[in-house]
Amino acid sequence: MTVCRPVAAAADLATWKSTFAAAGIATAGGLIINTVIAWGARALFDTPSEFEQLTLPIYGFLTVVGALAGAVGWRLIVNRSRSATRLLTWLIPAVLALSMIPDVMLLITQSQPGTTTAGAVALMLMHLGVAAAAVPAYQRFMPARS
């Protein structure tokens, strides 16, 4: 049985402390950005109130989950990959694109009450908003050393 060992020296590894610090900053930034996006969709594009995906309990919870999952995934990559920078360069856009599939399906099927094009686009923009807050935080607190 082979044991996976970190590639970097122990001093270079991302710690849980840095992981949770990055996740906290990503969450706070993501929540601020997503609140502005939700407000804009409701105020500027008249997205109906029955479109619950643009309410804080729903997008807030998913923002926290996304920021935490991203931080843990980033930590695993920078601690275990010999070419973390190269891997993250293609993995971030790929995961971001895949994360939008439910929003695209929602737009196509109109399966939720109050779904509008503006509402679905706002949800897609929220993915970009979280990434815009998360990636710099992850880079700062858990830099890829490859």
Side-chain angles (χ1 to χ4, degrees):
M1 175 187 247
T2 309
V3 175
C4 262
R5 297 191 190 275
V7 175
D12 290 339
L13 295 177
T15 64
W16 283 110
K17 181 179 178 180
S18 64
T19 302
F20 288 122
I25 291 170
T27 299
L31 284 170
I32 291 167
I33 292 167
N34 287 350
T35 299
V36 170
I37 291 169
W39 174 83
R42 291 206 182 278
L44 302 175
F45 297 102
D46 218 15
T47 303
S49 59
E50 61 258 12
F51 189 62
E52 293 181 358
Q53 287 79 355
L54 292 180
T55 61
L56 183 58
I58 293 179
Y59 73 76
F61 172 74
L62 294 172
T63 298
V64 171
V65 169
L68 286 172
V72 170
W74 188 286
R75 179 183 188 274
L76 288 170
I77 290 168
V78 300
N79 282 354
R80 298 189 181 271
S81 176
R82 292 186 195 277
S83 54
T85 302
R86 186 172 48 200
L87 177 59
L88 289 167
T89 299
W90 68 263
L91 188 61
I92 293 166
V95 168
L96 194 54
L98 289 172
S99 75
M100 291 190 195
I101 290 172
D103 301 331
V104 171
M105 294 306 298
L106 178 64
L107 179 60
I108 292 168
T109 64
Q110 304 278 312
S111 60
Q112 296 295 315
T115 300
T116 62
T117 300
V121 169
L123 293 176
M124 291 179 217
L125 289 174
M126 287 180 169
H127 293 265
L128 296 172
V130 174
V135 170
Y138 301 161
Q139 288 173 328
R140 167 69 175 90
F141 286 92
M142 301 178 288
R145 290 175 170 75
S146 58

